[in-house]
Amino acid sequence: MSGLKFIAGAVLTVSLAFPAAGALALDAKGGGVTATAPYGGKPGVISVYDGSDDGDSGKAEYYRQTTAGTKRTLWNHSGYKTRATSADGSKIIKFQACDDNDWAPDDCSGWKAP
């Protein structure tokens, strides 16, 4: 019985020390823009931070679990050193960050999956 208690205690300790991988935030960087998902510990929230002082907007393009065939875009039009966040919804399954470039291709990261 003491062996079973030891194993149960070890499992509890490991689960507290290493939370589920889905809860860990992942960043994608495109140009001076950073997208983070999940954001604020919520798997259905994504953020986009504009760290580029170029006068252009930043965006995060992403897909949600319940609408996997629909690409969504979260824009940050507020300018340099600001962050925009999405509403909470189903889990973000894939995303990328893009620094919008007027009259030129956007600077986008590769796609990431949290």
Side-chain angles (χ1 to χ4, degrees), residues 1 8 10 15 17-18 25 32 34 38 44 58 60 67 70 76 79 81 83-84 88 91 94 100 104 110-112 114:
M1 187 60 129
S15 66
F18 300 101
T34 303
T67 54
T70 302
N76 181 346
K81 292 188 178 181
R83 180 179 306 275
D88 200 358
K91 181 181 176 183
K94 182 168 77 167
D100 186 51
W111 288 94
K112 305 267 181 145

Side-chain angles (χ1 to χ4, degrees), residues 34-96:
T34 303
T36 304
Y39 185 73
K42 296 179 181 177
V45 176
I46 187 168
S47 79
V48 59
Y49 178 80
D50 189 351
S52 181
D53 192 12
D54 62 3
D56 293 330
S57 298
K59 65 182 176 179
E61 297 178 329
Y62 63 100
Y63 293 87
R64 291 190 180 276
Q65 191 169 40
T66 58
T67 54
T70 302
K71 181 170 73 171
R72 299 171 182 272
T73 303
L74 172 65
W75 284 96
N76 181 346
H77 294 295
S78 298
Y80 181 51
K81 292 188 178 181
T82 63
R83 180 179 306 275
T85 57
S86 72
D88 200 358
S90 70
K91 181 181 176 183
I92 307 295
I93 57 171
K94 182 168 77 167
F95 70 100
Q96 69 176 355

